[in-house]
mmCIF file of all heavy atoms in Angstrom:
data_model
loop_
_atom_site.group_PDB
_atom_site.id
_atom_site.type_symbol
_atom_site.label_atom_id
_atom_site.label_comp_id
_atom_site.label_asym_id
_atom_site.label_seq_id
_atom_site.Cartn_x
_atom_site.Cartn_y
_atom_site.Cartn_z
ATOM 1 N N LEU A 1 52.259 5.923 -34.292
ATOM 2 C CA LEU A 1 50.955 6.197 -33.765
ATOM 3 C C LEU A 1 49.985 5.047 -34.312
ATOM 4 O O LEU A 1 49.253 4.493 -33.456
ATOM 5 C CB LEU A 1 50.444 7.549 -34.508
ATOM 6 C CG LEU A 1 49.059 7.972 -34.108
ATOM 7 C CD1 LEU A 1 48.921 8.269 -32.725
ATOM 8 C CD2 LEU A 1 48.674 9.072 -35.018
ATOM 9 N N PHE A 2 50.313 4.502 -35.389
ATOM 10 C CA PHE A 2 49.458 3.462 -35.891
ATOM 11 C C PHE A 2 49.734 2.051 -35.193
ATOM 12 O O PHE A 2 48.980 1.444 -34.755
ATOM 13 C CB PHE A 2 49.704 3.165 -37.508
ATOM 14 C CG PHE A 2 48.905 2.147 -38.061
ATOM 15 C CD1 PHE A 2 47.524 2.300 -38.298
ATOM 16 C CD2 PHE A 2 49.430 0.912 -38.370
ATOM 17 C CE1 PHE A 2 46.790 1.305 -38.945
ATOM 18 C CE2 PHE A 2 48.744 -0.124 -38.945
ATOM 19 C CZ PHE A 2 47.377 0.142 -39.239
ATOM 20 N N ALA A 3 51.022 1.768 -35.056
ATOM 21 C CA ALA A 3 51.426 0.552 -34.532
ATOM 22 C C ALA A 3 51.450 0.487 -32.968
ATOM 23 O O ALA A 3 51.192 -0.477 -32.407
ATOM 24 C CB ALA A 3 53.005 0.218 -35.000
ATOM 25 N N GLY A 4 51.564 1.481 -32.395
ATOM 26 C CA GLY A 4 51.482 1.615 -30.902
ATOM 27 C C GLY A 4 50.256 1.883 -30.297
ATOM 28 O O GLY A 4 50.001 1.583 -29.095
ATOM 29 N N ILE A 5 49.342 2.574 -30.991
ATOM 30 C CA ILE A 5 48.015 3.036 -30.462
ATOM 31 C C ILE A 5 46.925 2.319 -31.076
ATOM 32 O O ILE A 5 46.069 1.614 -30.431
ATOM 33 C CB ILE A 5 47.943 4.504 -30.249
ATOM 34 C CG1 ILE A 5 49.065 4.983 -29.438
ATOM 35 C CG2 ILE A 5 46.582 4.880 -29.767
ATOM 36 C CD1 ILE A 5 49.081 6.635 -29.489
ATOM 37 N N PHE A 6 46.773 2.488 -32.400
ATOM 38 C CA PHE A 6 45.519 2.084 -33.151
ATOM 39 C C PHE A 6 45.488 0.554 -33.247
ATOM 40 O O PHE A 6 44.514 -0.160 -32.963
ATOM 41 C CB PHE A 6 45.678 2.757 -34.468
ATOM 42 C CG PHE A 6 44.382 2.284 -35.248
ATOM 43 C CD1 PHE A 6 43.286 2.897 -35.072
ATOM 44 C CD2 PHE A 6 44.587 1.596 -36.445
ATOM 45 C CE1 PHE A 6 42.149 2.457 -35.720
ATOM 46 C CE2 PHE A 6 43.510 1.184 -37.270
ATOM 47 C CZ PHE A 6 42.331 1.675 -36.927
ATOM 48 N N MET A 7 46.588 -0.097 -33.527
ATOM 49 C CA MET A 7 46.548 -1.547 -33.838
ATOM 50 C C MET A 7 46.227 -2.372 -32.514
ATOM 51 O O MET A 7 45.503 -3.263 -32.560
ATOM 52 C CB MET A 7 47.863 -2.046 -34.456
ATOM 53 C CG MET A 7 47.947 -1.771 -35.952
ATOM 54 S SD MET A 7 46.696 -2.658 -36.854
ATOM 55 C CE MET A 7 47.352 -4.256 -36.743
ATOM 56 N N PRO A 8 46.999 -2.073 -31.333
ATOM 57 C CA PRO A 8 46.538 -2.801 -30.210
ATOM 58 C C PRO A 8 45.176 -2.752 -29.799
ATOM 59 O O PRO A 8 44.542 -3.673 -29.451
ATOM 60 C CB PRO A 8 47.530 -2.264 -29.121
ATOM 61 C CG PRO A 8 48.624 -1.699 -29.898
ATOM 62 C CD PRO A 8 48.057 -1.168 -31.204
ATOM 63 N N MET A 9 44.558 -1.499 -29.927
ATOM 64 C CA MET A 9 43.178 -1.286 -29.657
ATOM 65 C C MET A 9 42.159 -1.976 -30.471
ATOM 66 O O MET A 9 41.235 -2.667 -30.126
ATOM 67 C CB MET A 9 42.833 0.241 -29.588
ATOM 68 C CG MET A 9 43.455 0.982 -28.457
ATOM 69 S SD MET A 9 43.191 0.306 -26.790
ATOM 70 C CE MET A 9 41.447 0.581 -26.717
ATOM 71 N N VAL A 10 42.525 -2.158 -31.858
ATOM 72 C CA VAL A 10 41.606 -2.812 -32.689
ATOM 73 C C VAL A 10 41.768 -4.277 -32.418
ATOM 74 O O VAL A 10 40.775 -5.029 -32.469
ATOM 75 C CB VAL A 10 42.113 -2.498 -34.194
ATOM 76 C CG1 VAL A 10 41.423 -3.493 -35.154
ATOM 77 C CG2 VAL A 10 41.693 -0.988 -34.529
ATOM 78 N N LEU A 11 42.960 -4.775 -32.298
ATOM 79 C CA LEU A 11 43.210 -6.298 -31.981
ATOM 80 C C LEU A 11 42.462 -6.647 -30.631
ATOM 81 O O LEU A 11 41.897 -7.695 -30.691
ATOM 82 C CB LEU A 11 44.627 -6.623 -31.771
ATOM 83 C CG LEU A 11 45.400 -6.530 -33.185
ATOM 84 C CD1 LEU A 11 46.760 -6.743 -32.946
ATOM 85 C CD2 LEU A 11 44.899 -7.403 -34.274
ATOM 86 N N LEU A 12 42.403 -5.722 -29.607
ATOM 87 C CA LEU A 12 41.790 -6.015 -28.359
ATOM 88 C C LEU A 12 40.275 -6.102 -28.667
ATOM 89 O O LEU A 12 39.670 -6.888 -28.145
ATOM 90 C CB LEU A 12 42.102 -4.983 -27.435
ATOM 91 C CG LEU A 12 41.498 -5.178 -26.030
ATOM 92 C CD1 LEU A 12 41.924 -6.339 -25.283
ATOM 93 C CD2 LEU A 12 41.775 -3.899 -25.135
ATOM 94 N N LEU A 13 39.816 -5.171 -29.423
ATOM 95 C CA LEU A 13 38.345 -5.161 -29.609
ATOM 96 C C LEU A 13 37.914 -6.435 -30.519
ATOM 97 O O LEU A 13 36.852 -7.029 -30.185
ATOM 98 C CB LEU A 13 38.077 -3.973 -30.358
ATOM 99 C CG LEU A 13 37.972 -2.608 -29.566
ATOM 100 C CD1 LEU A 13 37.638 -1.418 -30.325
ATOM 101 C CD2 LEU A 13 37.075 -2.749 -28.399
ATOM 102 N N LEU A 14 38.775 -6.791 -31.467
ATOM 103 C CA LEU A 14 38.419 -8.073 -32.266
ATOM 104 C C LEU A 14 38.494 -9.316 -31.293
ATOM 105 O O LEU A 14 37.742 -10.236 -31.499
ATOM 106 C CB LEU A 14 39.507 -8.208 -33.462
ATOM 107 C CG LEU A 14 39.210 -7.171 -34.533
ATOM 108 C CD1 LEU A 14 40.398 -7.303 -35.541
ATOM 109 C CD2 LEU A 14 37.949 -7.468 -35.152
ATOM 110 N N LEU A 15 39.458 -9.267 -30.545
ATOM 111 C CA LEU A 15 39.581 -10.451 -29.493
ATOM 112 C C LEU A 15 38.394 -10.571 -28.593
ATOM 113 O O LEU A 15 37.747 -11.510 -28.429
ATOM 114 C CB LEU A 15 40.807 -10.322 -28.728
ATOM 115 C CG LEU A 15 41.257 -11.526 -27.812
ATOM 116 C CD1 LEU A 15 41.590 -12.668 -28.773
ATOM 117 C CD2 LEU A 15 42.457 -11.193 -26.961
ATOM 118 N N ILE A 16 37.779 -9.471 -28.035
ATOM 119 C CA ILE A 16 36.525 -9.484 -27.353
ATOM 120 C C ILE A 16 35.460 -9.831 -28.074
ATOM 121 O O ILE A 16 34.650 -10.729 -27.590
ATOM 122 C CB ILE A 16 36.348 -8.024 -26.783
ATOM 123 C CG1 ILE A 16 37.534 -7.649 -25.612
ATOM 124 C CG2 ILE A 16 34.992 -7.912 -26.068
ATOM 125 C CD1 ILE A 16 37.498 -6.260 -25.191
ATOM 126 N N ALA A 17 35.302 -9.360 -29.302
ATOM 127 C CA ALA A 17 34.230 -9.840 -30.203
ATOM 128 C C ALA A 17 34.258 -11.382 -30.419
ATOM 129 O O ALA A 17 33.232 -12.003 -30.449
ATOM 130 C CB ALA A 17 34.205 -9.026 -31.435
ATOM 131 N N TYR A 18 35.422 -11.814 -30.767
ATOM 132 C CA TYR A 18 35.570 -13.302 -31.077
ATOM 133 C C TYR A 18 35.191 -14.149 -29.840
ATOM 134 O O TYR A 18 34.331 -15.011 -29.967
ATOM 135 C CB TYR A 18 37.009 -13.576 -31.319
ATOM 136 C CG TYR A 18 37.212 -14.921 -31.536
ATOM 137 C CD1 TYR A 18 37.010 -15.719 -32.575
ATOM 138 C CD2 TYR A 18 37.971 -15.677 -30.500
ATOM 139 C CE1 TYR A 18 37.304 -17.032 -32.828
ATOM 140 C CE2 TYR A 18 38.367 -16.982 -30.568
ATOM 141 C CZ TYR A 18 37.900 -17.759 -31.699
ATOM 142 O OH TYR A 18 38.260 -19.062 -31.854
ATOM 143 N N PHE A 19 35.617 -13.796 -28.521
ATOM 144 C CA PHE A 19 35.315 -14.476 -27.474
ATOM 145 C C PHE A 19 33.775 -14.389 -27.074
ATOM 146 O O PHE A 19 33.219 -15.340 -26.716
ATOM 147 C CB PHE A 19 36.084 -14.169 -26.213
ATOM 148 C CG PHE A 19 37.519 -14.798 -26.324
ATOM 149 C CD1 PHE A 19 38.656 -14.008 -26.307
ATOM 150 C CD2 PHE A 19 37.641 -16.207 -26.425
ATOM 151 C CE1 PHE A 19 39.852 -14.602 -26.314
ATOM 152 C CE2 PHE A 19 38.971 -16.713 -26.456
ATOM 153 C CZ PHE A 19 39.986 -15.936 -26.380
ATOM 154 N N ARG A 20 33.148 -13.290 -27.413
ATOM 155 C CA ARG A 20 31.834 -13.120 -27.165
ATOM 156 C C ARG A 20 30.956 -14.000 -28.057
ATOM 157 O O ARG A 20 30.035 -14.614 -27.623
ATOM 158 C CB ARG A 20 31.358 -11.708 -27.548
ATOM 159 C CG ARG A 20 29.929 -11.365 -27.243
ATOM 160 C CD ARG A 20 29.562 -9.893 -27.391
ATOM 161 N NE ARG A 20 28.279 -9.598 -27.066
ATOM 162 C CZ ARG A 20 27.266 -9.618 -28.185
ATOM 163 N NH1 ARG A 20 27.703 -9.927 -29.316
ATOM 164 N NH2 ARG A 20 26.070 -9.421 -27.847
ATOM 165 N N ILE A 21 31.383 -14.090 -29.297
ATOM 166 C CA ILE A 21 30.678 -15.059 -30.280
ATOM 167 C C ILE A 21 30.826 -16.448 -29.856
ATOM 168 O O ILE A 21 29.906 -17.312 -29.862
ATOM 169 C CB ILE A 21 31.269 -14.796 -31.723
ATOM 170 C CG1 ILE A 21 30.811 -13.367 -32.302
ATOM 171 C CG2 ILE A 21 30.716 -15.996 -32.591
ATOM 172 C CD1 ILE A 21 31.422 -12.934 -33.521
ATOM 173 N N LYS A 22 31.965 -16.867 -29.425
ATOM 174 C CA LYS A 22 32.263 -18.292 -28.983
ATOM 175 C C LYS A 22 31.456 -18.528 -27.728
ATOM 176 O O LYS A 22 30.977 -19.613 -27.640
ATOM 177 C CB LYS A 22 33.740 -18.427 -28.657
ATOM 178 C CG LYS A 22 34.573 -18.588 -29.986
ATOM 179 C CD LYS A 22 34.196 -19.750 -30.746
ATOM 180 C CE LYS A 22 35.045 -19.997 -32.055
ATOM 181 N NZ LYS A 22 34.485 -20.946 -32.699
ATOM 182 N N LEU A 23 31.284 -17.638 -26.846
ATOM 183 C CA LEU A 23 30.513 -17.806 -25.600
ATOM 184 C C LEU A 23 29.133 -17.920 -25.982
ATOM 185 O O LEU A 23 28.432 -18.906 -25.444
ATOM 186 C CB LEU A 23 30.710 -16.682 -24.676
ATOM 187 C CG LEU A 23 29.923 -16.644 -23.296
ATOM 188 C CD1 LEU A 23 30.390 -17.950 -22.593
ATOM 189 C CD2 LEU A 23 30.055 -15.433 -22.520
ATOM 190 N N LEU A 24 28.563 -17.180 -26.881
ATOM 191 C CA LEU A 24 27.150 -17.359 -27.302
ATOM 192 C C LEU A 24 26.887 -18.847 -28.000
ATOM 193 O O LEU A 24 25.815 -19.382 -27.756
ATOM 194 C CB LEU A 24 26.750 -16.214 -28.365
ATOM 195 C CG LEU A 24 26.569 -14.951 -27.633
ATOM 196 C CD1 LEU A 24 26.473 -13.797 -28.777
ATOM 197 C CD2 LEU A 24 25.565 -14.844 -26.758
#
C-alpha cells in the first residue's frame, strides 16, 4: 500500500511542485 500507491503519488506531487518553482 505504501510503496505502490502512496509513494508514487507523493513523488508526482513533489515533481510538479519542483517544476512549478523552476518555471516561476
Side-chain angles (χ1 to χ4, degrees):
L1 183 66
F2 183 75
I5 297 172
F6 180 71
M7 280 299 287
M9 291 304 297
V10 168
L11 292 174
L12 179 65
L13 291 173
L14 287 174
L15 190 65
I16 290 170
Y18 172 77
F19 282 123
R20 183 176 178 269
I21 290 169
K22 287 295 178 185
L23 182 62
L24 290 174

